[in-house]
Amino acid sequence: MKCRRCKAPAIIDIPRHNAAFCAECFTHQCREQVKRAIHEHQMIAPGERVLVAVSGGKDSLALWDLLHEIGIPADGLYLGLGIGEYSDASGEHTRAFANARGFHLHEVDLRADYGYDIPGAAEATHRAPCGACGLSKRHLFNQAALDHDYDVVATGHNLDDEAAVLLGNVLRWETGYLGRQFPVLPAAPGFARKVKPLVRLSEREMAAYCVIRGIEYQVEECPMADGNRHIGFKNLLNQLETQSPGTKAAFISGFWSRGHAAFTEAADDERAALLPCVECGAPTTTGDRCAFCSLRAKASQPVAIRLGR
Ligand code: Q46
Ligand code: ZN
């Protein structure tokens, strides 16, 4: 197996491109894919301030590294979720990465700053933890971007994530979600622009990138991921990809070019009808308390009150 670019011995093959690369040309390929995604979808303009949502996992640390490598000096934001040792180790990987490179890292801690954590929120809402976790992340990353004057929030969603979420949204015909599922979500009143520069790169490629670049990341899976239906969708898509390489990329790129526009009206209508939350001012569908403030109120109550004791 030889590198497609320089003909040296290859260390990784990428079946969907029918190509293999040596370590140096592979990192070049990753940078090119990120540049291409940013350019194709007009994610980031020169001079804009970028905030990366960093979890300590491979995707977000690789993204942060790649942005700097291509000349976009992004800052990071780490959100402490309070998921025991998993969160402790994730925070340590993130801080070590930022310190070693001199990157600027903001930190928000759910328990210290907002009075709850994800295990407590799951218990209080009687729902799967990922619901409360996703809601908290979306709200607080957006809030931090607005508070600190960032133009863009960049997240580490990769090709596998996007394909799994798309499959989930299509299976249930979630028209609002389908209208918002795109590599770039424009800014709107109360919302910073959101971009996903890794959409052309797979999970496996991001793990390889971290190994080659010496990035130490949180390899453990989140212990609260049980019941996250995207894991099942990823397994299904992996089977299809093995049989027919390129299936995932064709699924998402076909949706962007031929499907997405059919759903933007539903998403635009939802956004246009938003009113400010009475507590935090974030856009909300009801004009009352937003979903984040409701979650926070419920999850930060002492257990005895929550259970009606
Ligand atoms: S951290 Fe949070 Fe994930 Fe853990 S609780 Fe679910 S959403 S699985 S990316
Ligand atoms: Zn609110």
Side-chain angles (χ1 to χ4, degrees), residues 75-150:
D75 294 340
L77 172 62
Y78 174 75
L79 177 60
L81 303 170
I83 308 179
E85 284 175 15
Y86 169 77
S87 288
D88 295 343
S90 303
E92 280 163 25
H93 283 299
T94 305
R95 282 174 218 113
F97 174 91
N99 288 340
R101 289 161 181 78
F103 293 177
H104 184 64
L105 176 67
H106 300 271
E107 288 201 47
V108 172
D109 187 83
L110 275 186
R111 209 180 287 140
D113 300 327
Y114 292 93
Y116 73 94
D117 54 27
I118 295 304
E123 200 190 302
T125 55
H126 305 292
R127 294 236 181 112
C130 296
C133 188
L135 168 63
S136 306
K137 287 181 193 166
R138 278 192 300 279
H139 180 90
L140 292 169
F141 284 122
N142 185 60
Q143 195 57 50
L146 299 176
D147 290 348
H148 298 283
D149 283 329
Y150 287 95

Side-chain angles (χ1 to χ4, degrees), residues 9-304:
I11 53 135
I12 182 167
D13 68 318
I14 305 180
R16 76 174 182 289
H17 292 316
N18 197 16
F21 294 97
C22 70
E24 202 185 317
C25 293
F26 174 68
T27 56
H28 172 269
Q29 155 84 358
C30 292
R31 293 193 295 273
E32 290 305 306
Q33 293 293 342
V34 168
K35 281 194 222 165
R36 191 164 158 192
I38 291 175
H39 177 75
E40 236 170 44
H41 299 287
Q42 300 176 335
M43 291 181 180
I44 303 165
E48 283 190 324
R49 297 189 71 226
V50 181
L51 183 66
V52 183
V54 205
S55 68
K58 61 186 182 322
D59 301 301
S60 57
L61 292 181
L63 170 62
W64 203 3
D65 185 67
L66 279 159
L67 289 176
H68 277 258
E69 285 291 303
I70 62 168
I72 299 175
D75 294 340
L77 172 62
Y78 174 75
L79 177 60
L81 303 170
I83 308 179
E85 284 175 15
Y86 169 77
S87 288
D88 295 343
S90 303
E92 280 163 25
H93 283 299
T94 305
R95 282 174 218 113
F97 174 91
N99 288 340
R101 289 161 181 78
F103 293 177
H104 184 64
L105 176 67
H106 300 271
E107 288 201 47
V108 172
D109 187 83
L110 275 186
R111 209 180 287 140
D113 300 327
Y114 292 93
Y116 73 94
D117 54 27
I118 295 304
E123 200 190 302
T125 55
H126 305 292
R127 294 236 181 112
C130 296
C133 188
L135 168 63
S136 306
K137 287 181 193 166
R138 278 192 300 279
H139 180 90
L140 292 169
F141 284 122
N142 185 60
Q143 195 57 50
L146 299 176
D147 290 348
H148 298 283
D149 283 329
Y150 287 95
D151 301 294
V152 192
V153 176
T155 56
H157 295 100
N158 58 39
L159 192 158
D160 297 76
D161 297 323
E162 287 307 288
V165 171
L166 178 59
L167 181 59
N169 286 339
V170 166
L171 288 175
R172 289 167 189 253
W173 292 112
E174 298 276 12
T175 53
Y177 289 143
L178 285 166
R180 285 191 296 274
Q181 193 178 351
F182 207 64
V184 55
L185 194 58
F191 293 109
R193 189 186 325 140
K194 312 282 169 9
V195 302
K196 300 169 184 170
L198 299 185
V199 283
R200 302 183 59 85
L201 291 160
S202 73
E203 207 156 283
R204 176 171 159 266
E205 286 149 45
M206 289 300 87
Y209 181 86
C210 287
V211 171
I212 293 169
R213 295 277 298 160
I215 298 171
E216 289 189 24
Y217 60 90
Q218 168 63 285
V219 286
E220 299 297 324
E221 290 294 328
C222 170
M224 307 208 82
D226 282 0
N228 184 330
R229 58 199 174 93
H230 291 131
I231 296 173
F233 296 148
K234 277 189 181 175
N235 293 339
L236 269 172
L237 287 161
N238 283 341
Q239 287 177 25
L240 295 173
E241 185 78 19
T242 308
Q243 285 165 19
S244 177
T247 299
K248 287 184 225 177
F251 182 43
I252 57 171
S253 62
F255 170 68
W256 298 335
S257 60
R258 299 195 294 278
H260 177 254
F263 301 100
T264 46
E265 209 177 312
D268 289 348
D269 287 351
E270 279 181 20
R271 268 193 160 192
L274 297 178
L275 297 162
C277 165
V278 286
E279 280 178 31
C280 73
T284 160
T285 45
T286 59
D288 197 353
R289 231 187 207 175
C290 72
F292 173 78
C293 288
S294 303
L295 172 70
R296 182 186 176 187
K298 218 184 260 180
S300 58
Q301 278 177 357
V303 174

